[in-house]
Amino acid sequence: MLQIATPALVLHAFDYRETSRIVRLVTRERGVVSVVARGARRPKNKFGAALDLFASGMAHLGVHPSRDLHTLTAFDATRSRPELAASLDQFAAASAIAELCIRFGHESETGTLYDAASLALETIAAAARSDVATAGLASAWRVVAELGFAPATGQCRSEEHTSELQSRFGISYAVFCLKKK
C-alpha cells in the first residue's frame, strides 16, 4: 500500500457500516478517488468535522493499486465552506459541480480538475445572491472543459462574420453563426 499526502476536496460522503464513512474526494495527485474513513462516525474520531461536504484540506491516503476503494488515514481541513449552505441556490450550484466531478472525473485525472473544482466552489461561495446562477453555470463550464468536454468554439465558419461578432458582442469566438452564405 502506497502512502500519499495530497490536497483534496470532499465531494460526497455517506455512512458505511456502524463506524465508518465512504468519502469521494477530488485530489490534485490522484483525481477523483473513493476512500473509506474508518471510525469517522465514532463520537471521538480523528476526523471531526473535517469531512464535511465541500471541505478542502490535506488528505493522507493509503492507496491500493489494484482496488477502487482506498483508505483515508487522516484529513487536515484547511477550508470549510459553510457559506454554501446559506442559500439553496448556492448549495445546488456547488452540488452540481461535485456531481460533474464524481460522474465524469477519473482516478487518473491530473490536478487541473481539483483546481477547477476548488475555484468553482470559491466563485459560487463569493457570488452575490443575484449572481449565483451565473457563477454556477460559468463554473460548471470550466469544470466541463477540464474534463475534456468543452465545445469547440474556435470561430464562425465564415471569416467575414468574426469581426462583426467582436464589434457587436465583444467576443472573439462564436459557437454558431445564423447568417447564411
Side-chain angles (χ1 to χ4, degrees), residues 53-72:
L53 194 58
F54 309 130
S56 295
M58 186 63 67
H60 301 271
L61 307 174
V63 178
H64 307 279
S66 61
R67 296 188 200 161
D68 291 334
L69 186 62
H70 307 292
T71 303
L72 182 65

Side-chain angles (χ1 to χ4, degrees), residues 107-122:
E107 190 165 333
S108 60
E109 298 286 338
T110 60
T112 57
L113 181 58
Y114 167 80
D115 293 334
S118 294
L119 177 63
L121 294 183
E122 292 297 330

